[in-house]
Amino acid sequence: MSALVTDYDRLAVMQICLEQQLTQPAVFELVVRELPPRRKFLVAAGLEQALQFLKSLSFSEAENAWLRHQGRFSAQLLDYAHGLRFDGDVDAMPEGTVFFAGEPIIRVTAPLPVAQLVESRLLNLVHFETAIASSAARIVLAARGRRLLDLGLRRAHGSEAALLAARAAYLAGFDGSATAEASRRFGIPALSPLFLRSDAIGVGTLSSLVEAPSTAPGRIVDTDDVLTHRAGLVDAATALRCKGIVLDGVQIDGPDPSARAWSLRARLDAAGLGDLAIRVSGDFDETHIGALAAEGAPIDEFGVCGWLPEDGDATRINASYEKRVTASDAAAGRGRALLQPCMRAGKRVGRTPTLLESRRYHAEQMAQLSETLREAVGESR
Amino acid sequence: MSALVTDYDRLAVMQICLEQQLTQPAVFELVVRELPPRRKFLVAAGLEQALQFLKSLSFSEAENAWLRHQGRFSAQLLDYAHGLRFDGDVDAMPEGTVFFAGEPIIRVTAPLPVAQLVESRLLNLVHFETAIASSAARIVLAARGRRLLDLGLRRAHGSEAALLAARAAYLAGFDGSATAEASRRFGIPALSPLFLRSDAIGVGTLSSLVEAPSTAPGRIVDTDDVLTHRAGLVDAATALRCKGIVLDGVQIDGPDPSARAWSLRARLDAAGLGDLAIRVSGDFDETHIGALAAEGAPIDEFGVCGWLPEDGDATRINASYEKRVTASDAAAGRGRALLQPCMRAGKRVGRTPTLLESRRYHAEQMAQLSETLREAVGESR
């Protein structure tokens, strides 16, 4: 990974460190000083990506050429950048750890020029995955055992965002992701087999295969019109079955999911399609899902389309990367001893847990959480 | 780019298309049906990334192996995937185009199995960059000529998100990005030389270089404490100057930026540091920036830390990828003729504008925008 995924002023500070011979080891800790409003706990995630970033930290030839071309960096900096590797120590919470304000998530001990250079990307990775995992953990509590599927690819902020969100959500107890590459790369179950969707391409593409009474070939059914086309969905599912195409379920989105799920369930059952599951998709947070689960709506699976919804309370976690005066200062008086050795002199140490192991560890952490902290979910507004 | 950056059910539908011999060319359009509340226009972005994605679309050996390993795909699908390339046509709005509801942004004409496969990633790229460019364009209007800097790396959703946000913001008129890799990759000005920051690492690292009266070596100054440490900032800037370290300015964040900028400006001027610029950073949207610019606060530069802030009105743009019955259906009766040929039979056609050219084109588009549409900015709440 490119060492240039950093703020430009980190390069300027790196040069000053070299000029002033400030190359001694420094200790930094990544910490959340204060929990977001209405949050009682957070879930550590992104540490594996952070370690991979540090392990492969370097400037490529093209990047070194770009640094030279800038014209504002010293020969000393260019020389230092040329051979730069991360050769420091890292201690970190295991992924999936439930943590609280003020508990360091990662501690980096490395020469000051490097330790400060990596701030931006470490925060970038750990902030994002931790925000997702923390939201997902609350959704899992709220869903009361319903299946939960990450459907976030289309509106994620690029593909890396989609893949890391799928990973963090699975770590925190989601059942799967619809993003195929997330399944391949991280072994996350691909829980998105053939659902007849109520949006344009779902019905549009599939209905072009059949000639159901109310679904003309190639007809586009608007998401917004789905309520008036509900008969079309059931007819299309029936027609597809006649054609030998086995659906796993029907997916609906839009307003009033409870009433629509009840109505759809009745119509599917009446049409002999009782084996088709109902998935409801949307920009759900734990409040919506908690309400739907509590009232017992016939929803088999929730598809979460938008991560960190705009009205969410943890789009921003106030994470920072703080310099400690000494290692003993960093270690002293910080309550629970959660950090474990992950890197020594730039090499990974200890066993790297699989994502599934981290997911199980997180589930154990959640099981130990006091009722007070668990109950806050869904009753926070 | 991996063809597996798609929703899993697109693969299932691809298989059905093949089984049912539905491989004829189909026409899809990516369109925003309705503008977000309080938005009068949007700015097209992400099209270059979309074209690069289509140009390089394929399944790698590892991806083909993963598909085989799934056990639910037919030999026909596996064979089709093995040699898959995008060989269709693409027409698209030039990047930077100001557009309105219902105007297609991209039209894809390709065999149905492929045309529907690429939906997820096309939406992923175009939705994100268009959302950023559209927000950035409003911020540019609101800033009334103040410099605007993307500072979003730390809280972006991964590095791809940070790089594409920097690109989209620059396209829409931002002056630069602090992300070094965005500067290298896209030629965006690196507008983040040495600013003394009021947060931990800025003052912490730099003040470890100096012995200013109120800034003990290695002392950590909390962001939250910056108001009480303002003297420390000015003293540190003075001490750094004595040491021969040339700062470009001082960066502050936190509440009440106007009062703090006035106070800081006076203290800097009194200390003979009148040449240092003041940058204010934060989760600004166009309302905040418009208010600060309108009152004439002594702010030289705004640093935007959080893209698509949680209270923003365009975190979600209602973009969809819709199947048209025929190409003539797609082309007919759609008002302005904005689409230009970009790919024919899988090959790029026409000249690809540079990012700087697209930025200028966007500026021309904005200059032609009626006062009504421009004035909406900052008065929308």
Side-chain angles (χ1 to χ4, degrees), chain B residues 168-222:
Chain B
Y170 182 65
L171 173 70
F174 265 51
D175 297 285
S177 169
T179 304
E181 178 65 7
S183 184
R184 185 183 75 85
R185 194 173 303 187
F186 298 121
I188 299 168
L191 262 200
S192 180
L194 208 52
F195 273 67
L196 186 63
R197 285 198 266 148
S198 60
D199 60 357
I201 193 166
V203 173
T205 306
L206 289 178
S207 69
S208 72
L209 314 180
V210 299
E211 294 182 23
S214 64
T215 318
R219 173 169 180 187
I220 307 302
V221 179
D222 237 23

CSV table of all heavy atoms in Angstrom, one decimal, chain B residues 168-222:
chain,number,residue,atom,x,y,z
B,168,ALA,N,-13.4,14.4,-7.0
B,168,ALA,CA,-14.7,15.0,-7.3
B,168,ALA,C,-14.8,16.4,-6.8
B,168,ALA,O,-15.4,17.3,-7.5
B,168,ALA,CB,-15.9,14.1,-6.7
B,169,ALA,N,-14.2,16.7,-5.7
B,169,ALA,CA,-14.3,18.0,-5.1
B,169,ALA,C,-13.5,19.0,-5.9
B,169,ALA,O,-13.9,20.1,-6.2
B,169,ALA,CB,-13.8,18.0,-3.7
B,170,TYR,N,-12.3,18.5,-6.4
B,170,TYR,CA,-11.5,19.4,-7.3
B,170,TYR,C,-12.2,19.7,-8.6
B,170,TYR,O,-12.2,20.8,-9.1
B,170,TYR,CB,-10.2,18.7,-7.5
B,170,TYR,CG,-9.2,19.5,-8.4
B,170,TYR,CD1,-8.7,20.7,-7.9
B,170,TYR,CD2,-8.8,19.1,-9.6
B,170,TYR,CE1,-7.8,21.5,-8.7
B,170,TYR,CE2,-7.9,19.8,-10.4
B,170,TYR,CZ,-7.4,21.0,-9.9
B,170,TYR,OH,-6.6,21.8,-10.7
B,171,LEU,N,-12.8,18.6,-9.2
B,171,LEU,CA,-13.6,18.8,-10.4
B,171,LEU,C,-14.6,19.9,-10.2
B,171,LEU,O,-14.9,20.7,-11.1
B,171,LEU,CB,-14.3,17.5,-10.7
B,171,LEU,CG,-15.3,17.4,-11.8
B,171,LEU,CD1,-14.6,17.6,-13.2
B,171,LEU,CD2,-16.1,16.1,-11.8
B,172,ALA,N,-15.2,19.9,-9.0
B,172,ALA,CA,-16.3,20.9,-8.8
B,172,ALA,C,-15.8,22.2,-8.3
B,172,ALA,O,-16.7,23.1,-7.9
B,172,ALA,CB,-17.3,20.3,-7.8
B,173,GLY,N,-14.5,22.5,-8.3
B,173,GLY,CA,-14.0,23.8,-8.0
B,173,GLY,C,-13.2,24.0,-6.7
B,173,GLY,O,-12.8,25.1,-6.4
B,174,PHE,N,-13.1,22.9,-5.9
B,174,PHE,CA,-12.2,23.0,-4.8
B,174,PHE,C,-10.7,23.3,-5.3
B,174,PHE,O,-10.4,23.0,-6.4
B,174,PHE,CB,-12.1,21.7,-4.0
B,174,PHE,CG,-13.1,21.7,-2.8
B,174,PHE,CD1,-14.4,22.0,-3.0
B,174,PHE,CD2,-12.6,21.3,-1.5
B,174,PHE,CE1,-15.3,22.0,-1.9
B,174,PHE,CE2,-13.5,21.3,-0.4
B,174,PHE,CZ,-14.8,21.7,-0.6
B,175,ASP,N,-9.9,23.9,-4.4
B,175,ASP,CA,-8.6,24.3,-4.8
B,175,ASP,C,-7.5,23.3,-4.7
B,175,ASP,O,-6.5,23.3,-5.3
B,175,ASP,CB,-8.2,25.6,-4.0
B,175,ASP,CG,-9.1,26.7,-4.3
B,175,ASP,OD1,-9.0,27.3,-5.4
B,175,ASP,OD2,-10.0,27.0,-3.5
B,176,GLY,N,-7.8,22.3,-3.8
B,176,GLY,CA,-6.8,21.3,-3.6
B,176,GLY,C,-7.2,20.2,-2.6
B,176,GLY,O,-8.3,20.3,-2.1
B,177,SER,N,-6.3,19.3,-2.3
B,177,SER,CA,-6.6,18.2,-1.4
B,177,SER,C,-5.3,18.0,-0.5
B,177,SER,O,-4.2,18.1,-1.0
B,177,SER,CB,-6.9,16.9,-2.1
B,177,SER,OG,-6.9,15.8,-1.2
B,178,ALA,N,-5.5,17.7,0.7
B,178,ALA,CA,-4.4,17.4,1.6
B,178,ALA,C,-3.8,16.0,1.4
B,178,ALA,O,-2.8,15.6,1.9
B,178,ALA,CB,-4.8,17.6,3.1
B,179,THR,N,-4.6,15.2,0.7
B,179,THR,CA,-4.2,13.8,0.5
B,179,THR,C,-3.1,13.7,-0.6
B,179,THR,O,-3.3,14.0,-1.7
B,179,THR,CB,-5.4,12.9,0.1
B,179,THR,OG1,-6.4,13.1,1.1
B,179,THR,CG2,-5.0,11.4,0.0
B,180,ALA,N,-1.9,13.3,-0.2
B,180,ALA,CA,-0.7,13.3,-1.1
B,180,ALA,C,-1.0,12.4,-2.3
B,180,ALA,O,-0.7,12.8,-3.4
B,180,ALA,CB,0.5,12.9,-0.3
B,181,GLU,N,-1.5,11.3,-2.1
B,181,GLU,CA,-1.7,10.3,-3.2
B,181,GLU,C,-2.8,10.9,-4.2
B,181,GLU,O,-2.6,10.6,-5.4
B,181,GLU,CB,-2.2,9.0,-2.7
B,181,GLU,CG,-2.5,7.9,-3.7
B,181,GLU,CD,-1.3,7.5,-4.6
B,181,GLU,OE1,-0.1,7.9,-4.3
B,181,GLU,OE2,-1.5,6.7,-5.5
B,182,ALA,N,-3.7,11.7,-3.7
B,182,ALA,CA,-4.7,12.3,-4.7
B,182,ALA,C,-3.9,13.3,-5.5
B,182,ALA,O,-4.3,13.5,-6.7
B,182,ALA,CB,-5.8,13.0,-3.9
B,183,SER,N,-3.0,13.9,-5.0
B,183,SER,CA,-2.2,14.9,-5.7
B,183,SER,C,-1.4,14.2,-6.8
B,183,SER,O,-1.3,14.6,-7.9
B,183,SER,CB,-1.3,15.7,-4.7
B,183,SER,OG,-0.6,16.7,-5.4
B,184,ARG,N,-0.7,13.1,-6.4
B,184,ARG,CA,0.1,12.3,-7.3
B,184,ARG,C,-0.7,11.7,-8.4
B,184,ARG,O,-0.4,11.8,-9.6
B,184,ARG,CB,0.9,11.2,-6.6
B,184,ARG,CG,1.9,10.5,-7.5
B,184,ARG,CD,2.6,9.4,-6.8
B,184,ARG,NE,1.7,8.2,-6.7
B,184,ARG,CZ,1.5,7.3,-7.6
B,184,ARG,NH1,2.1,7.4,-8.8
B,184,ARG,NH2,0.7,6.2,-7.4
B,185,ARG,N,-1.8,11.1,-8.0
B,185,ARG,CA,-2.6,10.3,-9.0
B,185,ARG,C,-3.4,11.2,-10.0
B,185,ARG,O,-3.6,10.8,-11.1
B,185,ARG,CB,-3.5,9.3,-8.3
B,185,ARG,CG,-4.1,8.3,-9.2
B,185,ARG,CD,-4.9,7.2,-8.5
B,185,ARG,NE,-4.1,6.5,-7.4
B,185,ARG,CZ,-4.6,5.4,-6.8
B,185,ARG,NH1,-5.8,5.0,-7.0
B,185,ARG,NH2,-3.8,4.9,-5.8
B,186,PHE,N,-4.0,12.2,-9.4
B,186,PHE,CA,-4.9,13.0,-10.3
B,186,PHE,C,-4.4,14.4,-10.6
B,186,PHE,O,-5.1,15.2,-11.2
B,186,PHE,CB,-6.3,13.2,-9.5
B,186,PHE,CG,-7.0,11.8,-9.3
B,186,PHE,CD1,-7.3,11.5,-8.0
B,186,PHE,CD2,-7.3,11.0,-10.4
B,186,PHE,CE1,-7.9,10.2,-7.8
B,186,PHE,CE2,-7.9,9.8,-10.1
B,186,PHE,CZ,-8.3,9.4,-8.8
B,187,GLY,N,-3.2,14.8,-10.1
B,187,GLY,CA,-2.7,16.1,-10.4
B,187,GLY,C,-3.4,17.2,-9.6
B,187,GLY,O,-3.3,18.4,-10.0
B,188,ILE,N,-4.0,16.9,-8.6
B,188,ILE,CA,-4.7,17.9,-7.8
B,188,ILE,C,-3.7,18.6,-6.9
B,188,ILE,O,-2.8,18.0,-6.3
B,188,ILE,CB,-5.7,17.2,-6.8
B,188,ILE,CG1,-6.8,16.4,-7.6
B,188,ILE,CG2,-6.4,18.2,-5.9
B,188,ILE,CD1,-7.6,15.5,-6.8
B,189,PRO,N,-3.8,20.0,-6.9
B,189,PRO,CA,-2.8,20.7,-6.1
B,189,PRO,C,-2.7,20.3,-4.7
B,189,PRO,O,-3.8,20.1,-4.1
B,189,PRO,CB,-3.3,22.2,-6.2
B,189,PRO,CG,-4.0,22.2,-7.5
B,189,PRO,CD,-4.7,20.9,-7.6
B,190,ALA,N,-1.5,20.1,-4.2
B,190,ALA,CA,-1.3,19.7,-2.7
B,190,ALA,C,-1.3,21.0,-1.9
B,190,ALA,O,-0.3,21.6,-1.8
B,190,ALA,CB,-0.1,18.9,-2.6
B,191,LEU,N,-2.5,21.4,-1.5
B,191,LEU,CA,-2.6,22.7,-0.9
B,191,LEU,C,-2.3,22.7,0.6
B,191,LEU,O,-2.8,23.5,1.4
B,191,LEU,CB,-4.0,23.3,-1.0
B,191,LEU,CG,-4.3,24.2,-2.2
B,191,LEU,CD1,-5.5,25.0,-1.9
B,191,LEU,CD2,-3.1,25.2,-2.3
B,192,SER,N,-1.6,21.6,1.1
B,192,SER,CA,-1.5,21.5,2.5
B,192,SER,C,0.0,21.5,2.9
B,192,SER,O,0.5,20.6,3.5
B,192,SER,CB,-2.1,20.2,2.9
B,192,SER,OG,-2.0,20.0,4.3
B,193,PRO,N,0.6,22.6,2.7
B,193,PRO,CA,2.0,22.8,3.2
B,193,PRO,C,2.0,22.9,4.7
B,193,PRO,O,1.0,22.5,5.3
B,193,PRO,CB,2.5,24.0,2.5
B,193,PRO,CG,1.5,24.4,1.5
B,193,PRO,CD,0.2,23.9,2.0
B,194,LEU,N,2.9,23.5,5.3
B,194,LEU,CA,3.1,23.4,6.7
B,194,LEU,C,2.2,24.3,7.5
B,194,LEU,O,2.5,25.5,7.6
B,194,LEU,CB,4.5,23.6,7.1
B,194,LEU,CG,5.0,22.9,8.4
B,194,LEU,CD1,4.6,21.4,8.3
B,194,LEU,CD2,6.5,23.1,8.5
B,195,PHE,N,1.1,23.8,7.9
B,195,PHE,CA,0.2,24.6,8.8
B,195,PHE,C,0.4,24.0,10.2
B,195,PHE,O,0.4,22.8,10.4
B,195,PHE,CB,-1.3,24.4,8.4
B,195,PHE,CG,-1.7,25.4,7.4
B,195,PHE,CD1,-1.2,25.4,6.1
B,195,PHE,CD2,-2.6,26.4,7.7
B,195,PHE,CE1,-1.6,26.3,5.1
B,195,PHE,CE2,-3.0,27.3,6.7
B,195,PHE,CZ,-2.5,27.3,5.5
B,196,LEU,N,0.5,24.9,11.2
B,196,LEU,CA,0.6,24.5,12.6
B,196,LEU,C,-0.8,24.2,13.0
B,196,LEU,O,-1.7,25.1,13.0
B,196,LEU,CB,1.2,25.7,13.4
B,196,LEU,CG,1.4,25.4,14.9
B,196,LEU,CD1,2.5,24.3,15.0
B,196,LEU,CD2,1.9,26.6,15.6
B,197,ARG,N,-1.0,22.9,13.4
B,197,ARG,CA,-2.4,22.5,13.7
B,197,ARG,C,-2.6,22.6,15.2
B,197,ARG,O,-1.7,22.4,16.0
B,197,ARG,CB,-2.6,21.1,13.2
B,197,ARG,CG,-2.8,21.0,11.7
B,197,ARG,CD,-3.5,19.7,11.4
B,197,ARG,NE,-2.5,18.7,11.0
B,197,ARG,CZ,-2.7,17.4,11.3
B,197,ARG,NH1,-3.8,17.0,11.9
B,197,ARG,NH2,-1.8,16.6,10.9
B,198,SER,N,-3.8,22.8,15.5
B,198,SER,CA,-4.2,22.9,16.9
B,198,SER,C,-4.5,21.5,17.5
B,198,SER,O,-4.9,21.4,18.7
B,198,SER,CB,-5.4,23.8,17.1
B,198,SER,OG,-6.5,23.3,16.4
B,199,ASP,N,-4.4,20.5,16.7
B,199,ASP,CA,-4.7,19.2,17.3
B,199,ASP,C,-3.4,18.5,17.8
B,199,ASP,O,-2.3,19.1,17.7
B,199,ASP,CB,-5.4,18.3,16.3
B,199,ASP,CG,-4.6,18.1,15.1
B,199,ASP,OD1,-3.5,18.6,14.9
B,199,ASP,OD2,-5.1,17.3,14.2
B,200,ALA,N,-3.6,17.3,18.3
B,200,ALA,CA,-2.5,16.7,19.0
B,200,ALA,C,-1.2,16.6,18.3
B,200,ALA,O,-0.1,17.0,18.7
B,200,ALA,CB,-2.9,15.3,19.5
B,201,ILE,N,-1.2,16.0,17.1
B,201,ILE,CA,0.0,15.8,16.4
B,201,ILE,C,0.7,17.0,15.9
B,201,ILE,O,1.9,17.2,15.9
B,201,ILE,CB,-0.1,14.7,15.4
B,201,ILE,CG1,1.3,14.2,14.9
B,201,ILE,CG2,-0.9,15.1,14.2
B,201,ILE,CD1,1.3,12.9,14.2
B,202,GLY,N,-0.1,17.9,15.4
B,202,GLY,CA,0.4,19.2,14.9
B,202,GLY,C,1.3,19.9,15.9
B,202,GLY,O,2.5,20.1,15.8
B,203,VAL,N,0.6,20.3,17.0
B,203,VAL,CA,1.4,21.0,18.0
B,203,VAL,C,2.3,20.0,18.8
B,203,VAL,O,3.4,20.4,19.1
B,203,VAL,CB,0.4,21.7,19.0
B,203,VAL,CG1,1.2,22.2,20.2
B,203,VAL,CG2,-0.4,22.8,18.3
B,204,GLY,N,1.8,18.8,19.0
B,204,GLY,CA,2.7,17.8,19.7
B,204,GLY,C,4.0,17.6,19.0
B,204,GLY,O,5.0,17.7,19.6
B,205,THR,N,3.9,17.3,17.7
B,205,THR,CA,5.2,17.0,17.0
B,205,THR,C,6.0,18.2,16.9
B,205,THR,O,7.2,18.2,17.2
B,205,THR,CB,4.8,16.4,15.6
B,205,THR,OG1,4.0,15.3,15.8
B,205,THR,CG2,6.1,16.0,14.9
B,206,LEU,N,5.4,19.3,16.4
B,206,LEU,CA,6.2,20.5,16.2
B,206,LEU,C,6.7,21.1,17.5
B,206,LEU,O,7.8,21.6,17.5
B,206,LEU,CB,5.4,21.5,15.4
B,206,LEU,CG,5.1,21.1,13.9
B,206,LEU,CD1,4.3,22.1,13.2
B,206,LEU,CD2,6.5,20.9,13.2
B,207,SER,N,5.9,21.1,18.5
B,207,SER,CA,6.4,21.7,19.7
B,207,SER,C,7.4,20.9,20.4
B,207,SER,O,8.2,21.5,21.2
B,207,SER,CB,5.2,22.0,20.7
B,207,SER,OG,4.7,20.8,21.2
B,208,SER,N,7.6,19.7,20.0
B,208,SER,CA,8.7,18.9,20.6
B,208,SER,C,10.0,19.4,20.0
B,208,SER,O,11.1,19.0,20.4
B,208,SER,CB,8.5,17.4,20.3
B,208,SER,OG,8.7,17.2,18.9
B,209,LEU,N,9.9,20.3,19.0
B,209,LEU,CA,11.1,20.8,18.3
B,209,LEU,C,11.6,22.1,18.9
B,209,LEU,O,12.7,22.6,18.7
B,209,LEU,CB,10.9,21.1,16.8
B,209,LEU,CG,10.1,20.0,16.1
B,209,LEU,CD1,10.0,20.4,14.6
B,209,LEU,CD2,10.9,18.7,16.1
B,210,VAL,N,10.7,22.7,19.7
B,210,VAL,CA,11.0,24.1,20.1
B,210,VAL,C,10.9,24.2,21.6
B,210,VAL,O,10.3,23.2,22.3
B,210,VAL,CB,10.0,25.1,19.5
B,210,VAL,CG1,10.2,25.1,18.0
B,210,VAL,CG2,8.6,24.8,19.9
B,211,GLU,N,11.3,25.2,22.2
B,211,GLU,CA,11.1,25.4,23.6
B,211,GLU,C,10.4,26.7,23.9
B,211,GLU,O,11.0,27.7,24.4
B,211,GLU,CB,12.4,25.3,24.4
B,211,GLU,CG,13.0,23.9,24.3
B,211,GLU,CD,14.3,23.7,25.1
B,211,GLU,OE1,14.5,24.5,26.0
B,211,GLU,OE2,15.1,22.8,24.7
B,212,ALA,N,9.2,26.8,23.4
B,212,ALA,CA,8.4,28.0,23.6
B,212,ALA,C,8.0,28.1,25.1
B,212,ALA,O,7.8,27.0,25.7
B,212,ALA,CB,7.2,28.0,22.7
B,213,PRO,N,7.8,29.3,25.6
B,213,PRO,CA,7.5,29.4,27.0
B,213,PRO,C,6.3,28.5,27.5
B,213,PRO,O,6.4,27.8,28.5
B,213,PRO,CB,7.1,30.9,27.2
B,213,PRO,CG,7.8,31.6,26.0
B,213,PRO,CD,7.9,30.6,24.9
B,214,SER,N,5.3,28.6,26.7
B,214,SER,CA,4.1,27.9,27.2
B,214,SER,C,3.9,26.5,26.5
B,214,SER,O,2.9,25.9,26.6
B,214,SER,CB,2.8,28.7,26.9
B,214,SER,OG,2.7,28.9,25.5
B,215,THR,N,4.9,26.1,25.8
B,215,THR,CA,4.8,24.8,25.1
B,215,THR,C,5.9,23.9,25.4
B,215,THR,O,7.0,23.9,24.7
B,215,THR,CB,4.8,25.1,23.5
B,215,THR,OG1,3.9,26.2,23.3
B,215,THR,CG2,4.2,23.9,22.8
B,216,ALA,N,5.8,23.2,26.5
B,216,ALA,CA,6.8,22.3,26.9
B,216,ALA,C,7.1,21.2,25.8
B,216,ALA,O,6.2,20.8,25.1
B,216,ALA,CB,6.4,21.6,28.2
B,217,PRO,N,8.3,20.8,25.7
B,217,PRO,CA,8.7,19.8,24.7
B,217,PRO,C,7.8,18.5,24.8
B,217,PRO,O,7.6,18.0,25.9
B,217,PRO,CB,10.1,19.4,25.0
B,217,PRO,CG,10.7,20.6,25.7
B,217,PRO,CD,9.5,21.1,26.5
B,218,GLY,N,7.2,18.1,23.7
B,218,GLY,CA,6.4,16.9,23.7
B,218,GLY,C,5.1,17.0,24.3
B,218,GLY,O,4.3,16.1,24.4
B,219,ARG,N,4.7,18.2,24.7
B,219,ARG,CA,3.4,18.4,25.3
B,219,ARG,C,2.3,18.2,24.3
B,219,ARG,O,2.4,18.6,23.2
B,219,ARG,CB,3.3,19.9,25.9
B,219,ARG,CG,2.0,20.2,26.4
B,219,ARG,CD,2.0,21.5,27.1
B,219,ARG,NE,0.6,21.8,27.6
B,219,ARG,CZ,0.3,22.9,28.2
B,219,ARG,NH1,1.3,23.8,28.3
B,219,ARG,NH2,-0.9,23.1,28.6
B,220,ILE,N,1.3,17.5,24.8
B,220,ILE,CA,0.1,17.3,23.9
B,220,ILE,C,-0.9,18.3,24.2
B,220,ILE,O,-1.3,18.6,25.3
B,220,ILE,CB,-0.5,15.9,24.2
B,220,ILE,CG1,0.6,14.8,24.2
B,220,ILE,CG2,-1.6,15.6,23.3
B,220,ILE,CD1,1.3,14.7,22.9
B,221,VAL,N,-1.3,19.0,23.2
B,221,VAL,CA,-2.4,20.0,23.3
B,221,VAL,C,-3.7,19.4,22.7
B,221,VAL,O,-3.7,19.0,21.6
B,221,VAL,CB,-2.1,21.3,22.6
B,221,VAL,CG1,-3.2,22.3,22.7
B,221,VAL,CG2,-0.8,21.9,23.1
B,222,ASP,N,-4.7,19.2,23.5
B,222,ASP,CA,-5.9,18.6,23.1
B,222,ASP,C,-6.7,19.6,22.2
B,222,ASP,O,-6.7,20.8,22.4
B,222,ASP,CB,-6.8,18.4,24.3
B,222,ASP,CG,-7.2,16.9,24.4
B,222,ASP,OD1,-6.5,16.1,23.9
B,222,ASP,OD2,-8.2,16.6,25.1
